[in-house]
Amino acid sequence: MLKIGCHLSVSDGFLAMGKVADSIGANTFQYFSRNPRGGAAKAIDKKDIAAFLDFADQHGMGDFLAHAPYTLNLCSDKENIRKFALNTLQDDIGRTENLPGSLYNFHPGSHVGQGKETGISIVSEALSQILRPEQTVTVLLETMSGKGSELGGRFEELREIIDRVDLHEKLGVCLDTCHVHDAGYDIARDLDGVLTEFDRVIGLKRLRAVHINDSKNTRESRKDRHETIGNGQIGLEALARVINHESLRSLPFYLETPNELEGYAQEIALLQGLYIS
C-alpha cells in the first residue's frame, strides 16, 4: 500500500488531524511542529495524543512527520538566530517523542555569506549538541534547491553534515522531488541515475521520507516553487516512477503542493491509482 498524506495543521490537535487525513484518503501526514514562521508551540495534550494513537492504530496510519518552522536557520551569521534555532529544534525533538518512532524534518539552513564549510560546521556542531542516545525520533535533513546561500542543494553537503555529527545514526534524509529537480538532479528523465548518486554519496539507508511535489521551474533553476502533481516541469509520468521505484516505494510520501484539502484528496487518489501494488 502506498503511504501517502499531505501537510495538515496541528492547531486543532492530533486526533483532529488524524480524522482529516482519513477523510481525504491519507494514511499518514506531515504537520508543522509550531507556527511555520516560528514562535511558541502549543502545549501537548496527553489525552489528545492517546486518542490519536488509538485512532491511527485502528485506521492503519503511521510514519508521521513533524516539520520545523521555515524560519529556523542553524547556521545564521547572527548568534541570536542560531540560538533560537537550536533551542527550538531541541524542544521540538522532545515534543515529537510523544509519537514514538516518528520523524522530524528541517531545512539545513543558509550560511548567509559565511561559506559552505562554515555553515556545514555550525549545523553539525549544533546537531551534536541536541541529539540524544535515548531518542526514538529520527531527525531528517531535507534536500534543498540550492537557492542563494542555502545548504543542502547537493547531496555532498548533507553527507558532510551527517559525517560530522556524533550520533549520526539518529539522522536521515527527506528527499523533496521539487527541490532536487530545481537543484539540477534529473529525476524526470534519469531517476535511476539520481538514486545511484544518492546511494553513492549518502546511502539509500539514510533516505526515510519523500516530499512528493511537481515543480513550476525548469531543472537547475534553483528557485524552489512547488506545483500540483502532473502540472509542472517534472510531470505525472516521472512522479509515478518515483512512487513505484523499488528503492522508494516503501517510504512515506508527503504532498506539499499548492492545494486545499479537496485538491490533496484528488492528488492522493491519483497517486494511489498509479501505485503498482
Side-chain angles (χ1 to χ4, degrees):
M1 178 182 294
L2 178 65
K3 300 176 186 176
I4 188 165
C6 62
H7 202 107
L8 298 176
S9 172
V10 75
S11 59
D12 296 325
F14 282 93
L15 180 58
M17 284 195 293
K19 291 180 177 179
V20 169
D22 184 60
S23 74
I24 60 173
N27 49 21
T28 187
F29 59 83
Q30 173 180 273
Y31 63 97
F32 278 119
S33 59
R34 59 189 69 215
N35 186 299
R37 297 301 171 190
K42 186 177 179 181
I44 293 290
D45 183 337
K46 296 288 188 180
K47 290 182 178 179
D48 174 59
I49 291 287
F52 165 67
L53 290 174
D54 184 57
F55 180 88
D57 182 62
Q58 292 179 28
H59 290 79
M61 294 183 175
D63 297 301
F64 307 110
L65 176 63
H67 197 302
Y70 292 139
T71 51
L72 294 194
N73 188 3
L74 268 183
C75 57
S76 170
D77 58 345
K78 295 180 174 60
E79 184 179 359
N80 64 317
I81 295 177
R82 293 198 304 270
K83 185 175 181 180
F84 171 78
L86 181 68
N87 291 340
T88 298
L89 283 173
Q90 189 167 31
D91 181 54
D92 278 356
I93 293 170
R95 293 165 59 84
T96 307
E97 285 290 346
N98 285 283
L99 301 178
S102 57
L103 306 167
Y104 180 83
N105 180 73
F106 80 103
H107 295 177
S110 298
H111 62 74
V112 288
Q114 300 174 96
K116 289 182 180 180
E117 172 63 26
T118 297
I120 288 168
S121 178
I122 294 172
V123 173
S124 58
E125 288 174 11
L127 289 171
S128 289
Q129 288 183 55
I130 61 179
L131 298 181
R132 295 290 178 264
E134 66 273 14
Q135 74 181 57
T136 68
V137 172
T138 301
V139 177
L140 306 184
L141 296 157
E142 185 170 339
T143 59
M144 304 304 295
S145 66
K147 64 181 184 293
S149 63
E150 185 178 69
L151 297 178
R154 307 306 300 171
F155 297 154
E156 287 82 1
E157 294 168 18
L158 298 181
R159 175 60 188 266
E160 283 191 54
I161 292 172
I162 291 169
D163 281 350
R164 298 185 192 189
V165 175
D166 293 338
L167 292 174
H168 56 81
E169 66 272 17
K170 302 295 183 181
L171 295 175
V173 173
C174 176
L175 186 146
D176 186 301
T177 54
C178 171
H179 292 176
V180 296
H181 166 85
D182 284 18
Y185 293 100
D186 196 357
I187 62 167
R189 295 181 300 177
D190 188 19
L191 178 60
D192 283 339
V194 173
L195 293 177
T196 297
E197 179 72 358
F198 185 99
D199 191 35
R200 182 187 70 80
V201 176
I202 298 176
L204 283 168
K205 66 179 182 180
R206 294 277 187 187
L207 187 52
R208 297 292 304 277
V210 178
H211 284 160
I212 185 82
N213 305 302
D214 215 321
S215 174
K216 292 181 182 292
N217 304 297
T218 56
R219 186 168 65 89
E220 209 168 1
S221 63
R222 294 187 172 88
K223 290 184 179 179
D224 184 12
R225 295 184 64 208
H226 298 194
E227 181 56 283
T228 50
I229 299 298
N231 295 312
Q233 296 295 318
I234 300 174
L236 186 58
E237 289 186 10
L239 293 172
R241 288 193 291 272
V242 170
I243 62 172
N244 284 293
H245 195 281
E246 60 181 4
S247 296
L248 305 175
R249 57 184 287 110
S250 63
L251 296 174
F253 293 85
Y254 308 93
L255 290 158
E256 292 183 322
T257 52
N259 254 321
E260 301 296 333
L261 285 177
E262 182 180 354
Y264 282 134
Q266 293 171 355
E267 289 185 332
I268 288 169
L270 173 63
L271 291 172
Q272 286 175 331
L274 293 170
Y275 186 72
I276 302 171
S277 58

